[in-house]
């Protein structure tokens, strides 16, 4: 029977499942296809916005847009155009239900499990031959697929995503470790890096000199030594967060900013108000640059 068996919505950058239809099939082919879909979902950032993994009896279709992707397991005889019509409608329904911020901040699997009701409703509609709306976007999607054909994969080849079982020789589209490309560094970002390095160097120099004196004569000054070294480390990590992608960037950024501000307030007396304002200002600028430099959105790749 030509039909849609399973559908889900995942986050593109890490493959986190956001919602899925609660379909239980004990068929071994379906269970194996579910495993391959899970493996493929973690690699979607490597592919164009549309793709199809063909199998003998079942096929996987995926459609990504922005930070989310809709995926479906269909019988291999099911129309490819109809499958992408289904994914287009599913994507539209999900975009209308959830905003980008809630999607980006989702930290647990199936955070939007309530969307399952809509997935089931749309899936049932497309599996029903009586529904006229199922073919409403047929011509539009057919034209888009002609202009930008979906990348073709072999369903059996997706097994390599789980460990490169063929001695490490993956197919032409398979890579093991996903990388994240950041937006280009801006002139203001370069300025924040330079100022951050300068503040870090000042903290390190003052901390070393104070440590030499404290260990020899004034053991009560150890707190001041720590208050110089902590901002030095914070400056180093701020530079790292700006240049490279890291999970929980927002939390780490605010922790580092709090550390710099607290230590500089503690050092009042060894530093005057202008010096404290300078260090806090540089830390604030660096934090702003970290938070505003985002991941590049995946661009469609028509040549794959």
């Amino acid at each position: 029977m030509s039909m849609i068996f399973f559908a889900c919505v995942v986050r593109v950058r890490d493959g986190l499942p956001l919602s899925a239809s609660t379909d239980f099939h004990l068929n071994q082919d379906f269970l194996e296809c579910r495993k391959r879909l899970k493996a493929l979902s973690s690699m979607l950032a490597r592919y164009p916005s549309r793709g199809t993994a063909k199998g003998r009896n079942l096929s996987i279709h995926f459609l990504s847009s922005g930070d989310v992707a809709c995926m479906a397991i269909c019988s291999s005889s099911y129309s490819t155009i109809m499958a992408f019509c289904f994914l287009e409608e599913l994507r539209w329904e999900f975009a209308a239900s959830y905003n980008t911020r809630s999607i980006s901040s989702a930290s647990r699997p199936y955070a939007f499990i309530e969307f399952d009701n809509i997935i089931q409703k749309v899936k049932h509609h497309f599996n029903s031959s009586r529904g006229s709306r199922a073919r409403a976007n047929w011509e539009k999607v057919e034209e888009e697929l002609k202009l930008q054909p979906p990348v073709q994969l072999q369903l059996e080849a997706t097994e390599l995503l789980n460990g490169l079982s063929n001695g490490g020789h993956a197919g032409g589209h398979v890579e093991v470790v996903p990388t994240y490309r950041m937006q280009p560094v801006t002139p203001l970002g370069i300025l924040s890096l330079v100022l951050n390095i300068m503040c870090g160097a000042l903290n390190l120099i003052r901390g070393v000199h104070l440590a030499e004196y404290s260990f020899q004569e004034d053991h009560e000054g150890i707190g001041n030594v720590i208050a110089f070294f902590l901002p030095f480390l914070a400056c180093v990590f701020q530079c790292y967060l700006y240049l490279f992608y890291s999970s929980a960037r927002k939390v780490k950024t605010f922790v580092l900013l709090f550390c710099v501000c607290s230590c500089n307030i503690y050092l009042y007396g060894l530093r005057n108000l202008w010096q404290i304002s300078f260090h806090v200002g540089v830390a604030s600028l660096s934090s702003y640059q970290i938070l505003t430099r985002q991941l590049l959105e995946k661009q469609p790749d028509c040549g794959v």
Side-chain angles (χ1 to χ4, degrees):
M1 178 184 291
S2 298
M3 63 182 297
I4 302 167
F5 291 99
F6 174 80
C8 64
V9 181
V10 302
R11 192 163 60 191
V12 172
R13 72 169 187 262
D14 54 7
L16 180 73
L18 302 174
S19 187
S21 58
T22 51
D23 297 273
F24 299 98
H25 301 283
L26 298 179
N27 181 279
Q28 188 62 32
D29 288 344
F30 176 80
L31 296 177
E32 288 296 323
C33 197
R34 279 285 303 270
K35 292 179 182 178
R36 291 166 181 169
L37 179 144
K38 182 179 179 181
L40 181 60
S41 67
S42 65
M43 304 297 290
L44 289 176
R46 299 291 185 178
Y47 294 97
S49 58
R50 290 188 180 93
T52 296
K54 287 285 187 179
R56 180 181 301 176
N57 299 316
L58 298 173
S59 297
I60 299 173
H61 305 278
F62 63 85
L63 171 68
S64 59
S65 176
D67 199 32
V68 298
C70 298
M71 308 182 73
I73 296 177
C74 308
S75 56
S76 293
S77 58
Y78 192 74
S79 166
T80 300
I81 297 176
M82 188 63 75
F84 281 103
C85 286
F86 166 73
L87 294 176
E88 283 280 4
E89 182 159 343
L90 206 61
R91 179 194 63 80
W92 187 88
E93 292 283 357
F94 192 83
S97 303
Y98 306 102
N99 57 40
T100 303
R101 178 175 297 179
S102 62
I103 295 169
S104 299
S105 61
S107 58
R108 57 182 177 84
Y110 305 107
F112 310 114
I113 191 63
E114 67 278 1
F115 188 72
D116 165 54
N117 294 328
I118 296 179
I119 296 178
Q120 295 286 19
K121 180 180 177 181
V122 177
K123 183 166 69 68
H124 175 74
H125 175 77
F126 273 79
N127 282 336
S128 172
S129 59
R130 299 187 301 272
S132 59
R133 193 180 63 174
R135 297 180 177 272
N137 293 328
W138 177 281
E139 293 183 359
K140 173 178 174 290
V141 173
E142 183 180 27
E143 185 65 24
E144 290 178 351
L145 293 180
K146 287 180 181 179
L147 295 175
Q148 184 185 335
V151 60
Q152 298 294 319
L153 307 172
Q154 290 299 317
L155 187 58
E156 290 76 9
T158 58
E159 289 178 337
L160 302 179
L161 294 170
N162 281 323
L164 299 178
S165 57
N166 285 347
H169 298 286
H173 298 288
V174 180
E175 296 185 40
V176 184
V177 180
T179 57
Y180 301 102
R181 296 183 59 190
M182 305 288 290
Q183 292 177 346
V185 174
T186 62
L188 189 58
I190 295 175
L191 175 62
S192 71
L193 286 173
V194 173
L195 293 175
N196 221 344
I197 292 171
M198 184 171 67
C199 288
L202 290 173
N203 286 318
L204 179 62
I205 294 170
R206 289 290 303 275
V208 170
H209 287 170
L210 189 60
E212 293 176 351
Y213 172 77
S214 297
F215 291 144
Q216 293 175 4
E217 299 183 21
D218 181 18
H219 295 286
E220 295 181 356
I222 300 299
N224 293 331
V225 174
I226 295 174
F228 277 114
F229 281 139
L230 283 180
F232 161 71
L233 294 174
C235 290
V236 172
F237 281 113
Q238 279 189 323
C239 291
Y240 176 84
L241 286 178
Y242 178 72
L243 293 173
F244 304 102
Y245 175 80
S246 175
S247 59
R249 294 172 71 227
K250 183 179 293 186
V251 174
K252 294 175 182 177
T253 300
F254 283 116
V255 169
L256 294 175
L257 178 60
F258 176 78
C259 175
V260 172
C261 295
S262 300
C263 289
N264 275 278
I265 293 173
Y266 180 84
L267 291 171
Y268 180 69
L270 294 177
R271 279 181 171 158
N272 58 40
L273 288 177
W274 287 107
Q275 292 172 325
I276 292 174
S277 300
F278 175 74
H279 283 268
V280 172
V282 170
S284 300
L285 174 62
S286 297
S287 299
Y288 175 77
Q289 291 300 307
I290 293 169
L291 296 175
T292 55
R293 189 181 184 216
Q294 302 296 325
L295 289 171
L296 279 176
E297 290 188 3
K298 181 170 67 65
Q299 299 297 322
D301 186 357
C302 300
V304 176

